[in-house]
Amino acid sequence: MIEPGIYKDVMSSFPSGVTVVTTVDPEGGIVGITASAFSALSIDPALVLFCPNYASDTYPILRDSKKFAIHLLSADQTAEAYAFAGKGKDKAAGIEWHLSELGNPILAKATAIIECELWREYDGGDHAIASGTWRGVGRRLGGAPGLIWIDAHLDSHTALTTHSGNIHGMPLAALLGEGQQRDAVQMLG
């Protein structure tokens, strides 16, 4: 078996976009989780997936609601990423949001939003693999670039390199200036 620390260290060297997945709880409040394990799954039907931890207090609410919004965060949404990564009831305190026509909580300033209906759930070890079929989509043009999470630093040649044991979980937006950020995102493809 691989040690969890080694697993996390190796996986942290892979750049990943950052999403927040939200829904409404039975009392009508907003709940959500930060997820970097997110991917496109299928064009026909239009499906995406995210992988929440089974230990999450929020995931059962997301699953049971059968609908959710996935927010592809912009570089200026670091506060939202941290807020929804934490534990507790009022993760959205101080965060601007509204309900969509489909009844999903929508965070302001996201680069893109995909509203989904739960399609299938699969077992993925200590995480679920939750897939959703698109029910609505929105994209903000002209805003900040997407938020990318990486355990990295820039060397003197401005190439991204991993740096174990130092800048763990630092968002790329915090490491780079705006021009460098665009160049790095283009390098990452």
Side-chain angles (χ1 to χ4, degrees):
M1 180 170 154
I2 302 293
E3 282 186 40
I6 293 171
Y7 179 88
K8 289 178 182 180
D9 187 51
V10 169
M11 295 309 297
S12 72
S13 66
F14 183 70
S16 176
V18 182
T19 68
V20 166
V21 183
T22 60
T23 196
V24 176
D25 68 16
E27 292 81 40
I30 180 175
V31 295
I33 58 172
T34 299
S36 59
F38 165 82
S39 181
L41 179 59
S42 169
I43 292 175
D44 187 16
L47 299 171
V48 291
L49 66 83
F50 69 101
C51 301
N53 192 319
Y54 281 127
S56 165
D57 293 337
T58 303
Y59 181 60
I61 299 167
L62 284 163
R63 183 194 59 229
D64 294 347
S65 76
K66 306 282 190 227
K67 66 179 184 176
F68 47 87
I70 300 175
H71 304 79
L72 309 183
L73 297 187
S74 64
D76 58 2
Q77 290 186 290
T78 307
E80 287 88 335
Y82 281 116
F84 284 96
K87 297 256 185 210
K89 277 285 219 179
D90 199 11
K91 295 180 185 182
I95 295 173
E96 185 181 344
W97 66 278
H98 68 276
L99 281 179
S100 73
E101 290 179 13
L102 298 175
N104 288 308
I106 303 297
L107 305 180
K109 302 186 291 183
T111 299
I113 299 157
I114 305 165
E115 293 188 78
C116 295
E117 182 178 302
L118 184 64
W119 191 64
R120 303 263 195 305
E121 179 186 18
Y122 305 95
D123 182 46
D126 57 5
H127 283 62
I129 303 167
S131 59
T133 185
W134 289 33
R135 294 296 179 231
V137 65
R139 180 148 189 220
R140 188 176 72 145
L141 301 175
L147 180 61
I148 296 174
W149 203 263
I150 188 169
D151 172 13
H153 72 281
L154 292 179
D155 65 18
S156 60
H157 300 86
T158 66
L160 290 173
T161 58
T162 60
H163 186 68
S164 296
N166 203 350
I167 309 176
H168 285 283
M170 179 63 66
L172 187 60
L175 297 173
L176 307 171
E178 188 174 324
Q180 290 175 310
Q181 213 174 349
R182 272 192 297 275
D183 294 342
V185 169
Q186 289 172 352
M187 283 187 337
L188 295 170

